[in-house]
Amino acid sequence: MTTDVQTESLLDPAIALQAMADPLRLQVIELLLTQELCVCDLCDRLQVKQPKLSFHLRQLREAGLIQARPQGRWTYYSLCPSRFASLQVWLQRFSQAQPAIASTCQE
């Protein structure tokens, strides 16, 4: 069971992109790309104190990009791959865009 309350809701690209706009949050996402990590491991690898990291983890969770799994006295974090897949589908539209040329204005 995860503590991610937005798992079932639709991805809001603006919220997801805003969450990923912070360099520390991007580092968290990169670290979680290959494995689930507990908050203590993330703090060690990122060289940040837990209160600062907790704020950023909450932002990523609220954006639906990561999920938390409590186990004993630790909380483990992992990516929500389906959310990144939704974001990828949304972004793909822009890479395939072929805007029509506007007609000239009549004076």
Side-chain angles (χ1 to χ4, degrees):
M1 181 174 167
T2 66
T3 58
D4 177 22
V5 296
Q6 291 191 354
T7 304
E8 300 302 318
S9 64
L10 296 175
L11 176 74
D12 182 339
I15 292 173
L17 292 172
Q18 183 178 16
M20 292 190 307
D22 183 89
L24 181 60
R25 290 182 218 147
L26 274 179
Q27 289 179 309
V28 169
I29 290 169
E30 289 286 333
L31 288 172
L32 296 177
L33 186 59
T34 57
Q35 66 183 16
E36 178 182 68
L37 292 169
C38 76
V39 71
C40 59
D41 289 333
L42 287 167
C43 285
D44 289 345
R45 293 182 188 194
L46 296 169
Q47 298 295 300
V48 296
K49 299 206 182 289
Q50 186 174 351
K52 179 178 181 177
L53 183 60
S54 292
F55 168 79
H56 291 286
L57 291 170
R58 182 171 46 92
Q59 298 297 312
L60 291 169
R61 270 194 342 269
E62 288 176 357
L65 298 173
I66 66 171
Q67 56 193 357
R69 180 180 61 84
Q71 182 174 333
R73 55 184 273 215
W74 301 109
T75 300
Y76 290 83
Y77 293 90
S78 61
L79 295 180
C80 296
S82 64
R83 306 295 281 199
F84 284 93
S86 296
L87 186 59
Q88 181 180 6
V89 168
W90 183 81
L91 287 169
Q92 187 69 28
R93 298 178 323 151
F94 298 98
S95 67
Q96 298 171 348
Q98 296 179 357
I101 297 174
S103 60
T104 56
C105 294
Q106 302 295 323
E107 290 187 34

